[in-house]
Amino acid sequence: MSQVIPVEEKILSENERLAAAIRADLASRAIPAINLISSPGSGKTTLLEKTLHHFAGGRRIALIAGDVQTENDAQRLLAAGGERVQPIVTGGACHLDAKMVGAALDRLDLTGTELLIIENVGNLVCPSGYDLGEDHKVVLLSVAEGDDKPLKYPSIFRRAGLMLLTKIDLLAHCDFDPERAEQNARMINPEIATIRLSCRSGAGMENWFMWLERLIGKSSQPESHEGTRNV
Amino acid sequence: MSQVIPVEEKILSENERLAAAIRADLASRAIPAINLISSPGSGKTTLLEKTLHHFAGGRRIALIAGDVQTENDAQRLLAAGGERVQPIVTGGACHLDAKMVGAALDRLDLTGTELLIIENVGNLVCPSGYDLGEDHKVVLLSVAEGDDKPLKYPSIFRRAGLMLLTKIDLLAHCDFDPERAEQNARMINPEIATIRLSCRSGAGMENWFMWLERLIGKSSQPESHEGTRNV
């Protein structure tokens, strides 16, 4: 397997070049971007449905929804009122890369967009190594998954700016200690911020919406940049 | 990324050669083997703890526990009474391969072993493409993850002989329809068997233990094969 490493390095360096171009383009438009990463079924799409509802008529959010197969997530986001939604079907690949995201951005009208959210493929391992040009990686961990996961899958927790502990309505029914989960995450990444929330009960959702509002506020600039996108 | 494909094909073909050697060796010893694959936190290790308790003093089970980081799962299995347990820490890799499993088998005393269970890295995508020499892939899907997952991650459901719907004690608290999950799995793989179970409540566990007993029964042969392993 000695041949893998140079090829992987070449792919990663090409990915970094494309990601840097995406980041520069989004910055020039004052569009902050986040990259949501988690296991399958941690609640990424449901969180985005609730986020679209909350910001409906207020903030203009563009969404890129990645999946191994089906455009089901993108369809759900359109049904939830998403007006700027692009699916990426990887056809088997276990993560999004900057080339896929660049192509999806080319199909999106970004005029006036105030926030870009990229929903990665459900996978707690592989997506962490691929920069998509985002400002922050956000990792979701459902309380049904166990509080040991930051230690067992450290790469994404090391790189994420924010951990969302999702499905906290299930805390009474699972052997999950949220404080231990947060301690474990901070052992890997002392700077990581955390929010506990439940899309089902609504608990903690305001903290997530405020986090997004602050992100939008930081990126907004006096001059607006509009027009077509060039990477 | 055009250079990836030939390298990946070469790795896969080397993996298939090693997996075939493992399969032949295990068959010569009449040891059936299964490869447990799921998202992180679907309950693989807890299922194996319960399985060790059930078969304690009866069946001799060897276990290989794969993780990206930490030997926590192997430690849990030893604490649960496992006498033949080998960890594999991939150090970042997103799946086990036959070379890793062959090396772990070399460290296990297989004399008299009646069943080998390999707990793969928590990842619903990448492990499905790597034959480890097992007789059956078994996929776990927790009811907290959503009943749409077979359609979104079809590769593992296509290749698995058995789907375990785990954590059914959470059914009352999740929007999960087990019949829809089973329908979705059968759309991908009409031959897939399914068992619904909960390690927490104990519901359905007897069906899992019976499935393993049948697997052991099918593999047992009149002559026993002992001694050291050669791949």
Side-chain angles (χ1 to χ4, degrees):
Chain A
M1 299 194 21
S2 59
Q3 283 180 68
V4 176
I5 296 164
V7 176
E8 194 175 27
E9 277 173 2
K10 188 168 177 194
I11 292 167
L12 281 173
S13 115
E14 172 69 1
N15 189 76
E16 277 164 28
R17 193 186 64 75
L18 292 170
I22 290 171
R23 182 171 286 111
D25 180 63
L26 292 172
S28 77
R29 299 163 178 272
I31 303 175
I34 60 173
N35 177 2
L36 292 191
I37 297 178
S38 78
S39 305
S42 298
K44 295 183 292 302
T45 313
T46 303
L47 181 76
L48 293 182
E49 289 173 327
K50 300 287 182 187
T51 303
L52 283 170
H53 285 145
H54 176 78
F55 287 107
R59 297 298 192 178
R60 279 158 296 188
I61 302 176
L63 297 153
I64 294 175
D67 257 314
V68 174
Q69 286 297 345
T70 82
E71 294 187 1
N72 292 1
D73 286 355
Q75 293 302 323
R76 284 174 59 187
L77 297 175
L78 286 166
E83 292 175 353
R84 298 162 183 216
V85 178
Q86 273 296 323
I88 298 177
V89 179
T90 69
C94 52
H95 60 270
L96 298 184
D97 63 32
K99 188 177 180 189
M100 299 176 197
V101 170
L105 285 172
D106 285 337
R107 294 191 297 270
L108 275 171
D109 175 14
L110 292 178
T111 311
T113 292
E114 296 167 280
L115 173 66
L116 170 66
I117 306 180
I118 304 165
E119 179 184 352
N120 219 307
V121 168
N123 185 329
L124 204 54
V125 185
C126 313
S128 74
Y130 287 80
D131 185 0
L132 305 180
E134 72 276 351
D135 295 291
H136 298 285
K137 289 180 171 64
V138 174
V139 61
L140 286 75
L141 176 61
S142 132
V143 306
E145 292 173 53
D147 47 40
D148 56 339
K149 295 302 172 288
L151 302 180
K152 294 173 67 180
Y153 302 87
S155 174
I156 177 55
F157 292 89
R158 189 171 297 127
R159 297 170 196 218
L162 174 65
M163 172 173 75
L164 301 178
L165 290 184
T166 63
K167 307 194 189 188
I168 58 168
D169 54 293
L170 294 179
L171 275 174
H173 311 289
C174 297
D175 299 319
F176 186 99
D177 179 342
E179 290 183 13
R180 193 181 310 133
E182 289 163 0
Q183 276 172 8
N184 286 339
R186 283 194 298 266
M187 277 175 63
I188 302 299
N189 175 0
E191 306 298 321
I192 198 166
T194 60
I195 294 173
R196 305 178 188 181
L197 58 79
S198 164
C199 288
R200 197 174 169 101
S201 73
M205 295 297 285
E206 282 303 313
N207 294 328
W208 163 242
F209 300 141
M210 279 166 47
W211 189 88
L212 291 177
E213 280 287 3
R214 280 199 299 273
L215 187 66
I216 294 170
K218 275 187 209 160
S219 290
S220 63
Q221 295 172 353
E223 293 177 33
S224 76
H225 300 258
E226 302 201 349
T228 49
R229 182 180 154 273
N230 278 306
V231 172
Chain B
M1 295 191 26
S2 59
Q3 286 180 67
V4 177
I5 295 165
V7 175
E8 194 175 28
E9 277 173 2
K10 189 170 176 193
I11 292 167
L12 281 173
S13 117
E14 172 69 0
N15 189 75
E16 278 164 27
R17 193 186 65 74
L18 292 171
I22 291 171
R23 182 171 286 109
D25 180 63
L26 292 172
S28 77
R29 299 162 179 272
I31 303 174
I34 60 174
N35 177 3
L36 293 191
I37 296 176
S38 79
S39 304
S42 298
K44 295 184 292 303
T45 313
T46 304
L47 182 75
L48 292 182
E49 289 173 327
K50 300 288 183 186
T51 303
L52 284 170
H53 286 146
H54 176 78
F55 287 109
R59 297 298 193 178
R60 278 159 298 189
I61 302 176
L63 297 153
I64 294 174
D67 258 314
V68 173
Q69 285 298 346
T70 81
E71 295 187 2
N72 292 0
D73 286 355
Q75 294 300 325
R76 283 175 60 186
L77 297 175
L78 286 165
E83 293 175 352
R84 298 161 183 217
V85 178
Q86 273 295 324
I88 298 176
V89 178
T90 69
C94 52
H95 61 270
L96 298 184
D97 63 31
K99 188 177 180 188
M100 299 176 196
V101 170
L105 285 172
D106 285 338
R107 295 191 297 271
L108 275 172
D109 175 14
L110 292 177
T111 311
T113 292
E114 295 167 282
L115 174 65
L116 170 67
I117 306 180
I118 304 164
E119 179 184 352
N120 219 308
V121 169
N123 183 329
L124 205 53
V125 185
C126 314
S128 75
Y130 287 81
D131 185 0
L132 305 180
E134 72 277 351
D135 295 292
H136 299 284
K137 288 180 171 65
V138 174
V139 62
L140 286 75
L141 175 61
S142 131
V143 307
E145 293 173 52
D147 48 38
D148 56 338
K149 295 301 172 289
L151 303 180
K152 293 174 66 180
Y153 302 88
S155 174
I156 177 55
F157 291 90
R158 189 172 296 126
R159 296 171 199 218
L162 175 66
M163 171 173 76
L164 300 178
L165 290 184
T166 63
K167 309 194 188 186
I168 58 168
D169 55 292
L170 294 179
L171 275 173
H173 311 289
C174 297
D175 298 319
F176 185 99
D177 180 341
E179 290 182 13
R180 193 181 309 132
E182 289 164 358
Q183 277 171 8
N184 286 340
R186 282 193 299 266
M187 277 176 62
I188 302 297
N189 174 2
E191 308 296 322
I192 199 167
T194 61
I195 294 174
R196 304 178 189 180
L197 56 79
S198 164
C199 289
R200 197 175 171 99
S201 73
M205 295 297 284
E206 283 303 313
N207 295 327
W208 162 243
F209 299 142
M210 279 167 46
W211 189 88
L212 291 177
E213 280 288 3
R214 281 198 300 273
L215 187 67
I216 294 170
K218 274 187 207 159
S219 291
S220 62
Q221 294 172 354
E223 294 176 33
S224 77
H225 300 258
E226 303 200 346
T228 48
R229 184 179 154 275
N230 279 306
V231 173

